[in-house]
Amino acid sequence: MAFHADAQDLTDKEILTWDMFGTSARELAQEVVDSGFMPEIIIAVARGGLLPAGALSYSLGVKLADAINVEFYTDVHETLPDPVLLAPVLDTESIAGKKLLVVDDVADSGRTLNLVLELLKKFDADARSAVIYAKSASVIEPDYVWRRTDDWIVFPWSAKPPVTKTN
């Protein structure tokens, strides 16, 4: 159970507030619309992309959404050797030949996003990507980016530890 708190040992942090998250979703949606691309389905890269994908779904007026589960980060600055797809797996039959917007919170190394995009291309989908943040070390350039940073990012949904039962 990884939770990415404010990483007390890090001095350089990008802190995204809930209010700025709302702004990021609207501005990313505007960037997508202005590009002329209108996705038929929004695919969240779970878990980090779930909230951004939901916000973009509403901002773009796209009702069809799905998620793909990928594990890579296990803690602050700790990853598995490679990103791994987890069950349940995306319904690939329903996305074949569709316009897809793949959404994640950050393209850090870019390896997770790249894995998902390569998978979707096998189904003849027109898959584009949107992230709130992109880092310079990313192996791919997302199609839509709200901000760029190389600092550790504190997202409002993972800034505190999971809730536990009170006595």
Side-chain angles (χ1 to χ4, degrees), residues 2-156:
F3 112 85
H4 304 301
D6 63 354
Q8 305 261 339
D9 60 323
L10 301 176
T11 55
D12 295 328
K13 293 177 264 195
E14 173 86 17
I15 298 173
L16 183 70
T17 64
W18 282 112
D19 188 50
M20 289 305 293
F21 168 62
T23 299
S24 73
R26 295 297 294 186
E27 290 179 0
L28 261 178
Q30 191 66 60
E31 189 178 340
V32 172
V33 169
D34 289 349
S35 77
F37 180 72
M38 276 311 300
E40 298 168 88
I41 305 171
I42 293 184
I43 309 288
V45 179
R47 291 184 315 180
L50 288 171
L51 277 80
L56 281 173
S57 175
Y58 278 97
S59 294
L60 291 169
V62 176
K63 290 188 177 187
L64 294 177
D66 207 335
I68 188 163
N69 295 288
V70 182
E71 182 177 27
F72 191 37
Y73 270 87
T74 56
D75 204 347
V76 175
H77 296 304
E78 290 180 20
T79 66
L80 297 173
D82 292 298
V84 178
L85 292 173
L86 302 174
V89 181
L90 182 70
D91 177 7
T92 51
E93 287 181 22
S94 67
I95 56 127
K98 303 283 188 188
K99 290 182 179 180
L100 311 174
L101 184 63
V102 177
V103 182
D104 207 352
D105 52 358
V106 59
D108 195 333
S109 70
R111 292 173 60 200
T112 299
L113 198 54
N114 192 49
L115 173 75
V116 172
L117 291 169
E118 288 301 315
L119 172 73
L120 297 176
K121 285 179 187 174
K122 293 177 184 174
F123 298 95
D124 199 30
D126 180 1
R128 304 202 188 165
S129 57
V131 296
I132 298 175
Y133 290 100
K135 295 193 175 189
S136 62
S138 178
V139 296
I140 66 165
E141 177 60 32
D143 296 287
Y144 310 103
V145 177
W146 181 64
R147 286 218 175 130
R148 297 177 187 281
T149 185
D150 285 325
D151 292 338
W152 180 259
I153 304 157
V154 180
F155 291 100

